[in-house]
Amino acid sequence: MASGSDPALLQEAAVSKAWPFEQARKIVERLKRRSGEQKEVLFETGYGPSGLPHIGTFGEVARTTMVRHAFEVLTGGEVATRLLCFSDDMDGLRKVPDNIPNRQMMAEHLGKPLTRVPDPFGTDESFGAHNNAQLRSFLDRFGFEYEFASSTEYYTSGRFDAALLTMLERYEEVMAIMLPSLRAERAATYSPFLPLHPKTGIVMQVPISERKLEAGTIVWSDPDSDETFETPVTGGHCKLQWKPDWAMRWHALGVDYEMSGKDLIDSVQLGGKICRALGSPPPEGFNYELFLDEKGQKISKSKGNGLTIDEWLRYASPESLQLFMYHKPREAKRLYFDVIPRNVDEYFSHVAGYEKQDLKQQLSNPAWHIHAGNPPRIDMPVSFALLLNLVSASNAQDREVLWGFISRYAPGSSPETHPTLDAMVGYAINYFQDFVKPTKSFRAPSDLEREALEDLDQRLQHLAADSDGKTIQNEVYAVGNSHPFENLRDWFGALYEVLLGQSQGPRFGSFVALYGIDETRALIRKALQSGT
């Protein structure tokens, strides 16, 4: 790969239409508007640990990392960058998630900061700490370079004190921004400050009766007991409502870039106004579309719908997940099990094509962004789709048996020489076992299909055992064209439904070359016998 100061690379990056470069150029322009020396650029991602981390959370970090690298290329590495993964773990527990144990115990702690709610899994000091650990563990597995930040730690350590006092001083300006966005009922009692109850520890959503600027405190009353309290806004005794909190964080930390979901467009606009009221420009960023589950509904941490991080990694490589995140971030996409095989094969296709591309094409290749400008060389003689069909046809769920087919198809290949392919074999076995096998449904061939299958069997008999996929595919086409199918799609559909018990598959000639001509003829004879 060209170095970050390579003139050709900088020239192409400056005009590349790849979306990470488009975003990075916004940050470059931001720096030009600043006076004085820019020592670093701060990228931020936010995480609400009210439920277990899901793939959407990872997606934000992955995409931000791509923008960060694009920025470093554009600036030749001359401006330092940091990525801060910020967890709003001081937020109060609003409801008990559906997908956790000990829900009754959790219900006793509703309203308390997530870092003061016991861990229902019994592994960490709090529910917030448990979910934070889950997030960090996953991000570490991907090798992301980031700093983890805890809202609880930042509030209690005093890192936000100056910004909180500014918020108290400019309280009326913040209220003027927030109140028009609220329903009348909520506006009547709204305050950006949420004091922690000194007796119950609950994050209180109560109106503020008095602000004491010199003391840096707010006065409020417990609605249940009418007891009045005076609480410092500093030192972790208060937190902010999440929209003012977001803006305060931008101001306090000097955040330069943060992306967010399309559902937060209005919140970003409000946060920008509040950030300016506090005296800082809001960060650059863009709004990505949301992920949808199999029913087309937004995925949710608390509902646990859609795919989890570990589920994707049971069936496919981390790089395939990163490819899913790279593609069309402004379009809503289904995030469900059936999208996995396509992303696996597309990833290898992008890697395989990289070295044949010119620099302009390389900078638009997702593999360049997934691998920070240095895609690996991977020899992948068998596609994931073919592996799935090999497992399906052979009913073999033993790696050694499958490698017997593969090594015959690609002489010289083995788990030792092709470790990435070996990993794909494991993924294919898992995917077949969990998703393909339960839905397999064979049907008997029609009279037309029976004649065509008998014809194919005869043609395969006369082919050499080591015939390649193209040669076999030509014979398959010849059979389809020799029989009165309305279109060839019906013929290929019959092959998969009758022989493999599924509605579709990869190029059939390639499958036969991998599985074996004799083995495929045995499948045909079995299908013909079962249909009599």
Side-chain angles (χ1 to χ4, degrees):
M1 172 192 167
S3 68
S5 58
D6 186 311
L9 176 60
L10 293 177
Q11 182 177 355
E12 288 295 345
V15 295
S16 174
K17 294 183 179 180
W19 68 263
F21 280 115
E22 292 178 341
Q23 292 298 302
R25 286 195 288 269
K26 291 163 54 177
I27 308 171
V28 172
E29 292 302 314
R30 177 188 180 90
L31 297 189
K32 292 178 181 178
R33 297 192 297 268
R34 284 191 178 166
S35 58
E37 181 182 354
Q38 175 69 20
K39 294 183 178 180
E40 71 171 20
V41 165
L42 180 61
F43 295 80
E44 184 183 61
T45 62
Y47 167 59
S50 57
L52 301 180
H54 61 65
I55 289 179
T57 306
F58 159 76
E60 192 166 306
V61 179
R63 287 167 170 168
T64 303
T65 296
M66 293 175 187
V67 176
R68 180 187 182 187
H69 177 251
F71 171 81
E72 291 173 345
V73 169
L74 285 172
T75 55
E78 294 180 358
V79 180
T81 64
R82 294 167 54 217
L83 171 57
L84 193 67
C85 295
F86 197 95
S87 171
D88 189 14
D89 55 19
M90 199 171 167
D91 193 19
L93 178 67
R94 296 183 179 88
K95 66 176 182 178
V96 179
D98 297 330
N99 56 344
I100 62 170
N102 298 314
R103 297 183 72 246
Q104 185 174 354
M105 178 275 291
M106 292 283 286
E108 298 174 3
H109 297 276
L110 285 172
K112 293 181 181 179
L114 295 167
T115 46
R116 296 188 184 181
V117 175
D119 177 19
F121 299 91
T123 59
D124 293 270
E125 60 184 18
S126 70
F127 185 44
H130 175 86
N131 291 336
N132 288 341
Q134 294 289 310
L135 177 68
R136 293 197 302 272
S137 174
F138 177 66
L139 297 180
D140 290 343
R141 273 192 277 171
F142 277 84
F144 287 121
E145 181 185 339
Y146 71 98
E147 299 173 28
F148 183 80
S150 159
S151 176
T152 299
E153 179 185 349
Y154 274 49
Y155 268 100
T156 57
S157 68
R159 294 190 66 170
F160 285 154
D161 281 359
L164 290 167
L165 291 172
T166 300
M167 179 79 73
L168 184 65
E169 176 188 344
R170 302 179 186 179
Y171 181 91
E172 298 297 344
E173 295 176 61
V174 175
M175 290 289 283
I177 294 168
M178 285 300 304
L179 291 180
S181 70
L182 305 174
R183 297 188 305 272
E185 182 179 354
R186 187 166 185 227
T189 60
Y190 180 84
S191 166
F193 289 98
L194 302 175
L196 269 63
H197 199 295
K199 295 182 178 180
T200 66
I202 290 176
V203 179
M204 302 296 294
Q205 298 205 37
V206 291
I208 303 303
S209 58
E210 185 179 358
R211 290 178 296 124
K212 297 185 176 181
L213 297 182
E214 291 187 6
T217 60
I218 54 174
V219 179
W220 57 280
S221 297
D222 185 331
D224 295 325
S225 66
D226 289 331
E227 187 175 2
T228 299
F229 298 93
E230 181 175 343
T231 301
V233 299
T234 55
H237 298 287
C238 278
K239 77 174 300 290
L240 295 175
Q241 299 270 9
W242 81 268
K243 293 175 186 177
D245 180 89
W246 202 10
M248 181 275 297
R249 200 160 71 225
W250 292 342
H251 165 71
L253 303 178
V255 176
D256 292 292
Y257 186 88
E258 180 163 4
M259 61 177 65
S260 56
K262 185 179 179 180
D263 56 337
L264 297 181
I265 289 177
D266 291 341
S267 301
V268 170
Q269 293 174 346
L270 286 172
K273 293 178 181 179
I274 295 173
C275 190
R276 292 187 186 93
L278 296 177
S280 297
E284 307 300 321
F286 83 111
N287 296 101
Y288 54 81
E289 260 290 2
L290 306 177
F291 297 127
L292 309 175
D293 65 12
E294 60 176 330
K295 298 177 182 179
Q297 298 178 344
K298 175 188 171 183
I299 63 171
S300 164
K301 293 190 298 292
S302 58
K303 290 181 180 179
N305 58 336
L307 282 175
T308 67
I309 291 165
D310 288 331
E311 283 171 338
W312 185 292
L313 295 182
R314 171 170 166 77
Y315 307 115
S317 66
E319 293 81 8
S320 65
L321 175 55
Q322 289 177 292
L323 175 65
F324 181 84
M325 297 303 168
Y326 177 87
H327 276 318
K328 300 178 180 179
R330 293 189 185 276
E331 292 185 13
K333 295 184 291 186
R334 289 177 67 255
L335 180 56
Y336 204 63
F337 297 102
D338 56 5
V339 308
I340 292 177
R342 182 178 70 253
N343 279 274
V344 173
D345 281 336
E346 282 189 13
Y347 165 73
F348 289 118
S349 176
H350 288 303
V351 170
Y354 179 79
E355 289 191 349
K356 305 171 187 176
Q357 296 173 328
D358 60 29
L359 184 56
K360 178 180 179 180
Q361 294 170 323
Q362 288 179 339
L363 295 188
S364 293
N365 187 324
W368 190 94
H369 297 275
I370 291 170
H371 294 284
N374 191 25
R377 293 182 179 181
I378 302 175
D379 180 17
M380 188 59 56
V382 182
S383 70
F384 191 62
L386 271 176
L387 284 176
L388 285 175
N389 281 274
L390 174 61
V391 178
S392 180
S394 63
N395 281 313
Q397 296 173 45
D398 182 276
R399 284 176 182 263
E400 291 187 11
V401 173
L402 295 172
W403 268 105
F405 290 104
I406 297 169
S407 59
R408 182 180 63 186
Y409 175 78
S413 63
S414 69
E416 291 72 30
T417 61
H418 290 69
T420 303
L421 177 55
D422 187 48
M424 293 302 113
V425 170
Y427 293 139
I429 292 173
N430 291 342
Y431 195 91
F432 170 78
Q433 183 68 31
D434 293 352
F435 299 109
V436 179
K437 186 177 181 179
T439 62
K440 284 173 72 72
S441 177
F442 294 90
R443 67 171 176 82
S446 66
D447 291 341
L448 171 60
E449 293 164 349
R450 175 177 293 278
E451 293 179 2
L453 286 168
E454 290 173 345
D455 187 0
L456 178 61
D457 182 41
Q458 292 301 311
R459 290 173 183 260
L460 291 177
Q461 183 180 14
H462 292 93
L463 289 179
D466 60 351
S467 296
D468 61 22
K470 182 178 180 181
T471 301
I472 298 171
Q473 187 76 358
N474 288 337
E475 294 297 331
V476 178
Y477 271 118
V479 172
N481 288 322
S482 300
H483 296 267
F485 290 99
E486 289 190 13
N487 56 65
L488 283 176
R489 182 179 300 175
D490 293 341
W491 166 228
F492 284 101
L495 287 172
Y496 289 111
E497 293 170 3
V498 173
L499 300 183
L500 299 180
Q502 56 198 58
S503 60
Q504 58 186 354
R507 189 176 179 87
F508 195 75
S510 298
F511 163 71
V512 177
L514 173 62
Y515 186 45
I517 289 178
D518 289 342
E519 289 81 359
T520 303
R521 292 187 64 212
L523 281 181
I524 294 173
R525 290 193 295 272
K526 180 180 179 182
L528 293 174
Q529 292 169 3
S530 65
T532 57

